[in-house]
């Protein structure tokens, strides 16, 4: 279930970017991606991964970008998410 959710999340994010940053598709993709991550590694490990002391900057940018996409500012939100993603997985 988790891999399917992550796969659909990535698909919706890419499809939303292809359709000129459609905010509904991007928001749906973000929610599916994060819920799939929780299904794959579990809630506690997901929480501890995102909220480690050295990764707080990346987490704040990533989750802030998700929040901004949900508030229908897709371009700014995706830029913040991309920076947060790179900072998290560096």
């Amino acid at each position: 279930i988790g891999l399917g959710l992550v796969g659909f999340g990535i698909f919706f994010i890419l499809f939303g970017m292809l359709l000129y940053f459609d905010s509904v598709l991007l928001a749906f993709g973000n929610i599916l991606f994060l819920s799939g991550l929780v299904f794959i590694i579990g809630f506690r490990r997901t929480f501890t991964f995102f909220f480690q002391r050295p990764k707080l900057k990346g987490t704040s940018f990533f989750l802030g970008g998700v929040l901004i996409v949900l508030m229908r500012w897709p371009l700014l939100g995706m830029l913040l998410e991309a920076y947060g993603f790179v900072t998290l997985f560096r």
Side-chain angles (χ1 to χ4, degrees), residues 7-78:
F8 277 118
I10 291 172
F11 170 74
F12 278 111
I13 289 172
L14 293 176
F15 195 58
M17 288 170 56
L18 184 67
L19 291 176
Y20 300 113
F21 292 95
D22 182 38
S23 60
V24 174
L25 289 174
L26 291 173
F28 194 59
N30 285 328
I31 292 169
L32 285 175
F33 179 78
L34 290 175
S35 63
L37 193 62
V38 169
F39 269 99
I40 290 173
I41 64 174
F43 183 75
R44 180 171 291 169
R45 289 181 64 188
T46 303
F47 186 80
T48 57
F49 172 76
F50 277 108
F51 293 103
Q52 294 174 7
R53 169 87 51 196
K55 296 184 179 186
L56 279 179
K57 180 181 175 184
T59 299
S60 62
F61 274 100
F62 183 75
L63 295 179
V66 170
L67 184 68
I68 289 176
V69 167
L70 289 173
M71 293 185 337
R72 298 196 181 255
W73 287 51
L75 187 59
L76 178 63
M78 287 307 291

